[in-house]
Amino acid sequence: MTQRIDRRRFLQGSAAVAAASYFVNPCDAAQPAAGERVRVAIVGVAAQGAYNLGEVVGSGLAEIVALCDVDNARAAAAQKAHPKATYYNDYRQMIEKQKDIQAVLVATPDHHHAFAALSAMRAGKHVYCEKPLAHSVHEVRTMMETAARQRVVTQMGTQIHNTGDNYRRVVEIVQAGVLGPIRRVHVWCSRQPDGGFLVKESTPPPQGFHHDLWIGPAPLRGYPPFRTGNSTSPHFHWRWWWDYGGGVLADMACHFMDLPHWALNLRQPTTVAATGRVIHKGDNPLPDLMQVDYEYPARGTSPAVRLTWYHGVQGPDLDGKVVHQGFTNGVLFVGEKGNLLADYGRHRLLPEDQFRDFQAPRPTIARTPGHHREWLQKILKNDTDTTCNFDYSGALTETVLLGNVAYRAGGKLQYDAKTGRVTNNAGAAQYLRREYRKGWVL
């Protein structure tokens, strides 16, 4: 039986393993004084937003001054816990009206990420944004450029990067040359989408739910926009439709592909090819099983790398015949001197007989202060060098989303990272960026 993994289970598991005038001059942006708490606004305050809110508050480095959500009922608990925070339904109004906000945390569905984050950064606010960084490649690149121009402190919500020490130890082993040169990496996740249907007849939305704001820049559909199983709520299953999300690849690959990107200093690929299979009945065209092949150029003395992503299976094989015992989700580094298996909380060197007396390299990567705390600490120090800033995480997200572009466009894509263009398939351009509903301008 295929093991399912979602964001909530990921958080439980990882916890267990421990135009120029349009932009604000960064020098004019209000900066916290030494010892001062950061004045934070949270956009999306339930579910994943509630987790983020708890982490920010638990750091002791933040004051929650604003809350924003389109669902008043789901936001009630956060409002009760933070009665002094001003409450909004529209983040655009929040950012425009409330000048004392210094930092904004974005925990909305993917199709709102760029709109909320760019509005904040253009107003000189520091930003933490959930993964994937945005809904399209064009949006990701715009966010990277804006963060660099505004010199704001940014962090993408790949929490496992700063949860426990496992990823750090893997990076040290790889970068110490224990495995020798690495030209091949496999990454897999057993999660599959939940099949469902777009709903043709609309019903009145629940009282206090602002459906038009939830739809935002996406094509307008009535409430509910889709149905999955017995669920009509738009608050999770949006990720299985292209208008709002990008399936399992967009949902989970930033977590798993983060490790090889970090360990091997990978940026954007030069070629991308994808295949997939749709198993669930319904009108959702996202693949239940998917394989994406990325080719990266050589970096200095490090060789070119081929990385393959698989989802919907419990090992690095779309037919389900290849598995690694105990690693139903994971990463396999294939080196000239040995291999390394890893997941969120464990790693194993292979072949085991060869590494029986292995002594790990001396730790060189500093222990993490925590993902949210790092972001807040850097804001207080006016230091943009977070571990998952939008430069690093933008290249990672761009790579991930290119897998969906390749799947939708078909064929092996040649990608020019300097221009953000596919050079051999004119049809791919429509999937690198999207059109927005009237009234929504990026």
Side-chain angles (χ1 to χ4, degrees):
M1 182 176 180
T2 299
Q3 178 182 349
R4 293 178 51 177
I5 189 166
D6 58 30
R7 183 177 292 185
R8 179 171 297 178
R9 288 181 62 189
F10 151 66
L11 292 170
Q12 292 171 342
S14 61
V17 300
S21 60
Y22 187 64
F23 294 87
V24 171
N25 186 326
C27 297
D28 295 335
Q31 297 295 336
E36 183 183 354
R37 292 189 299 169
V38 182
R39 296 189 294 278
V40 178
I42 309 291
V43 182
V45 300
Q48 183 68 9
Y51 158 77
N52 283 309
L53 177 57
E55 292 294 305
V56 168
V57 171
S59 73
L61 300 176
E63 175 188 358
I64 306 303
V65 297
L67 301 169
C68 181
D69 205 287
V70 298
D71 191 331
N72 295 344
R74 282 166 58 92
Q79 286 184 269
K80 183 177 180 180
H82 302 279
K84 294 182 179 180
T86 308
Y87 179 68
Y88 300 86
N89 295 124
D90 190 332
Y91 53 76
R92 297 169 298 180
Q93 294 181 2
M94 179 190 76
I95 293 168
E96 179 182 356
K97 290 181 178 180
Q98 192 160 339
K99 304 302 181 184
D100 67 331
I101 296 170
Q102 294 168 314
V104 177
L105 190 150
V106 180
T108 65
D110 296 357
H111 66 296
H112 278 281
H113 282 186
F115 283 86
L118 285 169
S119 295
M121 289 190 290
R122 287 165 175 165
K125 319 296 184 186
H126 308 288
V127 174
Y128 179 114
C129 185
E130 270 298 341
K131 56 81 198 165
L133 204 56
H135 188 265
S136 73
V137 169
H138 168 69
E139 291 172 355
V140 171
R141 294 175 70 91
T142 303
M143 290 173 68
M144 294 171 70
E145 293 163 2
T146 303
R149 182 185 297 113
Q150 294 296 90
R151 300 200 296 274
V152 289
V153 182
T154 57
Q155 186 91 300
M156 184 172 77
T158 41
Q159 298 87 359
I160 192 63
H161 192 105
N162 281 311
T163 301
D165 291 329
N166 183 59
Y167 270 26
R168 282 162 161 71
R169 302 294 82 83
V170 170
V171 171
E172 290 164 353
I173 290 170
V174 170
Q175 294 186 350
V178 173
L179 306 179
I182 296 172
R183 295 179 173 83
R184 192 75 175 95
V185 181
H186 300 272
V187 187
W188 63 96
C189 175
S190 60
R191 183 72 164 103
Q192 291 186 8
D194 299 304
F197 300 84
L198 293 174
V199 178
K200 296 179 180 179
E201 302 81 11
S202 87
T203 58
Q207 185 176 2
F209 177 72
H210 297 263
H211 178 64
D212 187 79
L213 287 176
W214 187 91
I215 292 290
L220 182 62
R221 295 184 184 275
Y223 180 88
F226 46 77
R227 183 185 301 274
T228 301
N230 295 322
S231 172
T232 60
S233 170
H235 290 300
F236 177 80
H237 295 291
W238 51 264
R239 64 185 69 253
W240 312 135
W241 276 269
W242 293 121
D243 285 345
Y244 319 112
V248 173
L249 181 65
D251 184 30
M252 298 305 299
C254 285
H255 287 309
F256 288 102
M257 286 174 57
D258 174 34
L259 183 55
H261 264 240
W262 185 5
L264 299 174
N265 296 311
L266 301 177
R267 297 285 292 180
Q268 297 93 337
T270 52
T271 73
V272 188
T275 59
R277 305 174 193 170
V278 177
I279 297 173
H280 285 115
K281 294 180 179 179
D283 53 11
N284 185 359
L286 280 84
D288 302 294
L289 277 66
M290 189 176 188
Q291 177 175 325
V292 186
D293 286 285
Y294 300 98
E295 294 179 348
Y296 300 83
R299 289 105 36 240
T301 59
S302 299
V305 173
R306 179 186 171 198
L307 182 153
T308 304
W309 162 268
Y310 317 78
H311 73 240
V313 289
Q314 298 189 39
D317 172 25
L318 215 59
D319 293 322
K321 296 177 181 178
V322 178
V323 296
H324 293 277
Q325 188 65 35
F327 288 81
T328 55
N329 308 280
V331 178
L332 175 65
F333 294 90
V334 181
E336 290 185 4
K337 298 179 180 179
N339 302 336
L340 188 152
L341 264 174
D343 60 12
Y344 288 160
R346 302 168 298 159
H347 63 270
R348 181 185 302 164
L349 288 160
L350 302 172
E352 292 183 342
D353 287 347
Q354 177 179 320
F355 292 98
R356 191 174 305 279
D357 299 321
F358 171 72
Q359 295 294 318
R362 180 179 62 85
T364 56
I365 303 174
R367 296 193 66 178
T368 173
H371 206 56
H372 300 78
R373 186 176 179 84
E374 180 192 62
W375 176 59
L376 294 165
Q377 285 179 338
K378 296 287 188 176
I379 293 173
L380 291 168
K381 295 176 181 178
N382 197 23
D383 179 358
T384 61
D385 190 26
T386 54
T387 53
C388 292
N389 60 56
F390 287 2
D391 178 67
Y392 169 82
S393 59
L396 170 61
T397 304
E398 184 175 348
T399 299
V400 167
L401 296 182
L402 282 168
N404 279 335
V405 174
Y407 175 77
R408 301 177 78 182
K412 186 174 184 178
L413 305 184
Q414 303 287 335
Y415 187 65
D416 182 350
K418 289 184 178 180
T419 63
R421 295 178 180 177
V422 173
T423 60
N424 69 327
N425 186 329
Q430 64 184 307
Y431 304 119
L432 293 171
R433 61 191 303 168
R434 57 182 171 136
E435 294 185 3
Y436 304 118
R437 189 161 63 104
K438 185 178 180 179
W440 290 82
V441 179
L442 194 65

